[in-house]
Amino acid sequence: MSSVASASTWTTFIKSIASYNGDLSSLTAPPFIVSPVSQVEYSQYWAEHTDLLLAPNFITGEDEDEVALERMVAVVKWFISTLRSQYCTRNETMGGEKKPLNPFLGEIFVGKWVDESEDKRLGETVLVSEQVSHHPPVTGYAVINDQNKTLLQGYNKVTAYMSSTALNVKQFGHAILDFQKLEEQYLITLPQLHIEGIFAFSPFVELDGKSYIQSSTGYLAVIEYSGRGYFSGKKNSFKARIFRDKASSGDKENAICTISGQWSGVSGISGGPKRPSVKGGDDIFFDAHSTEPQHLVVKPIQEQHHLESRRAWQSVAAAVKEGNYDLIVQEKSKLENEQRALRRAEADSGTEWDVRWFDIVDLEDTADLVASGKPQDPLVSLAQVASLSTKNVTSGTAKGDKDDLKTEVGSKHWRFNTEKFAAETEVKV
Ligand code: 0T9
């Protein structure tokens, strides 16, 4: 495409986001920023470092409190390691942030990470991702490691608005990391972000605001994000402080340790655990570039179920890679029309789409919780400890915040249903 043509389609696109009505999927993006990858695939970024995800299972010792701190540091290290995967992958593989394909209701993405460790102590890690809602788009996911009885689960939804300089994105939902053998749980809230570089034709993600990791042992990590020129003058900067508990987090001076640097690059740690093995050595906490992400293994397309993402989007993805805009539109419409026909048929027969592996749980409805067999959802207990909202509001919203006080919002959240997944016969991982 000539640069004049691309400049004019880009301008049209920017105008369309400026008058944007709240539904990101309704944006018609110019072909050169469309990705051939569906957003349902993005759940894989949670586990491209399975060794770090599972590391807390192997931290043991005499001093219970010290072990709890070491595990919290390990969870923070894993969380920081996910950020490059989550927010830099499109830049690194496609030359810039791209608009993902908008998943259809019931679209699924599954795969697994093979154990590359010498002692085979990690075992197989499985990813399950499902589009549980289309209007608005919501993705549920679970990362399952049976050998180490570790389950990460969560769901994600975004809203966005355009400012004069960037597209500002808020994430809804959260992740829960459950070490069943250790009987330790972590509530993870999601950072806010914005897309910079839109006016320079080269969009990229920058994180902002704060996110939290609350452990059932009481330890709380508060992670602050900033871009170029704020903390250090560098893009993708963060500072994570670990506190003994929520009460002590009121004063930054109480931080037991502070981790800072770039989440897409190098970070260091000061203070914290006494055992040097837990820190990472040489004062380096984590180096995103010396630890390359491990990609999951996905079945060949011919062996996939018709609801599996890469199979369902195959022809659209081919058109995107070819850069054939008319074909993209044509193939996308085919898929969208099929979906509309399905929804019409459901409406006619008075039925609803059956979500495959997830349930929506109303945390205000105790009957619902008793029925699920889990009287205390981890969000309820951990959000309570961290003084965070349990409502369906921007991830990380404090209890008592104006959004938390809105009665109409509700506390409905998506949860992975292990039994449903165990009973799955049609979809093979
Ligand atoms: C959950 C992640 C999320 C999804 C993406 C905002 C965004 C859709 C949501 C939040 C993942 O765990 C992490 C990473 C990137 C996020 C995407 C970045 C992005 O730009 C898109 C939005 C919808 C757009 O595509 C807008 C068009 C864009 C290319 C601006 C020019």
Side-chain angles (χ1 to χ4, degrees):
M1 201 186 320
S2 80
S3 60
V4 177
S6 64
S8 78
T9 38
W10 191 251
T11 310
T12 313
F13 171 67
I14 289 169
K15 283 186 187 144
S16 88
I17 37 184
S19 59
Y20 159 75
N21 66 3
D23 178 11
L24 274 172
S25 50
S26 71
L27 289 178
T28 317
F32 50 87
I33 63 154
V34 174
S35 157
V37 179
S38 163
Q39 201 176 304
V40 80
E41 283 206 22
Y42 286 28
S43 309
Q44 67 183 287
Y45 303 140
W46 284 105
E48 296 201 300
H49 297 277
T50 47
D51 53 338
L52 297 179
L53 171 69
L54 299 168
N57 288 298
F58 309 111
I59 298 175
T60 51
E62 292 297 304
D63 184 339
E64 228 174 84
D65 193 53
E66 187 66 14
V67 166
L69 173 62
E70 289 180 357
R71 287 191 186 139
M72 178 49 126
V73 171
V75 170
V76 171
K77 187 183 288 183
W78 157 74
F79 177 76
I80 295 302
S81 83
T82 66
L83 300 178
R84 176 186 168 207
S85 292
Q86 300 266 23
Y87 304 107
C88 299
T89 297
R90 279 77 52 198
N91 269 279
E92 291 177 4
T93 63
M94 304 170 184
E97 188 57 58
K98 301 274 171 170
K99 187 173 190 286
L101 299 171
N102 182 25
F104 57 87
L105 180 61
E107 182 176 331
I108 53 183
F109 180 69
V110 296
K112 62 187 166 201
W113 289 271
V114 291
D115 183 356
E116 289 178 348
S117 70
E118 256 164 48
D119 53 9
K120 295 285 166 271
R121 69 174 182 174
L122 300 182
E124 186 177 274
T125 305
V126 168
L127 172 76
V128 161
S129 182
E130 177 178 4
Q131 196 66 14
V132 294
S133 165
H134 183 67
H135 285 303
V138 181
T139 311
Y141 56 85
V143 174
I144 309 149
N145 184 289
D146 284 334
Q147 185 170 313
N148 291 291
K149 299 206 181 348
T150 301
L151 173 65
L152 170 76
Q153 65 160 309
Y155 77 93
N156 180 276
K157 178 181 105 170
V158 301
T159 62
Y161 69 94
M162 190 69 200
S163 77
S164 58
T165 53
L167 182 69
N168 297 296
V169 181
K170 287 183 180 170
Q171 299 203 67
F172 287 64
H174 49 262
I176 294 166
L177 177 53
D178 186 5
F179 296 105
Q180 289 151 1
K181 215 166 42 187
L182 309 177
E183 296 185 28
E184 242 168 61
Q185 280 136 13
Y186 294 80
L187 170 68
I188 296 151
T189 74
L190 310 167
Q192 311 312 307
L193 53 123
H194 59 270
I195 316 293
E196 283 184 40
I198 293 181
F199 299 101
F201 298 71
S202 62
F204 64 92
V205 169
E206 186 60 272
L207 300 181
D208 53 63
K210 287 180 188 173
S211 76
Y212 304 91
I213 302 179
Q214 174 66 57
S215 167
S216 56
T217 63
Y219 281 101
L220 170 69
V222 180
I223 310 163
E224 281 181 82
Y225 305 89
S226 69
R228 238 181 351 164
Y230 195 84
F231 288 141
S232 69
K234 288 184 180 159
K235 65 170 184 174
N236 308 155
S237 293
F238 77 97
K239 196 167 264 183
R241 294 185 176 87
I242 297 177
F243 298 95
R244 184 60 194 94
D245 51 30
K246 167 68 187 169
S248 66
S249 72
D251 184 353
K252 288 175 180 172
E253 297 291 310
N254 291 336
I256 297 168
C257 64
T258 304
I259 299 151
S260 65
Q262 284 177 295
W263 47 262
S264 59
V266 183
S267 51
I269 181 168
S270 66
K274 299 179 193 87
R275 285 195 276 187
S277 60
V278 184
K279 294 194 177 187
D282 295 339
D283 291 332
I284 288 179
F285 180 67
F286 182 69
D287 180 351
H289 287 281
S290 70
T291 27
E292 282 304 312
Q294 181 194 352
H295 302 301
L296 84 178
V297 180
V298 178
K299 295 188 300 292
I301 285 179
Q302 320 81 263
E303 291 168 30
Q304 290 181 16
H305 188 273
H306 69 277
L307 293 171
E308 281 185 78
S309 185
R310 289 183 191 175
R311 172 154 179 185
W313 287 103
Q314 194 173 12
S315 46
V316 178
V320 171
K321 285 175 188 153
E322 218 178 278
N324 185 335
Y325 196 48
D326 292 337
L327 195 59
I328 298 176
V329 173
Q330 193 184 315
E331 293 296 339
K332 248 193 193 165
S333 312
K334 230 191 262 175
L335 198 143
E336 283 157 7
N337 289 335
E338 280 168 22
Q339 285 296 310
R340 274 189 277 270
L342 269 175
R343 298 291 91 78
R344 254 196 316 272
E346 285 163 8
D348 290 349
S349 62
T351 55
E352 257 181 58
W353 178 262
D354 238 341
V355 174
R356 207 173 185 93
W357 301 312
F358 293 82
D359 298 318
I360 196 155
V361 179
D362 187 346
L363 297 181
E364 273 161 27
D365 183 347
T366 38
D368 229 32
L369 294 173
V370 174
S372 78
K374 295 171 196 107
Q376 184 81 303
D377 186 278
L379 177 65
V380 177
S381 46
L382 295 173
Q384 171 84 36
V385 180
S387 197
L388 293 169
S389 173
T390 51
K391 295 255 178 70
N392 192 354
V393 289
T394 306
S395 198
T397 297
K399 203 176 219 83
D401 182 277
K402 67 177 187 331
D403 285 343
D404 178 53
L405 297 173
K406 288 182 186 156
T407 47
E408 71 279 13
V409 188
S411 302
K412 291 187 180 160
H413 299 281
W414 288 94
R415 291 290 175 261
F416 181 58
N417 184 321
T418 319
E419 291 80 38
K420 279 193 192 171
F421 183 63
E424 174 65 53
T425 53
E426 288 177 16
V427 181
K428 306 251 168 346
V429 176

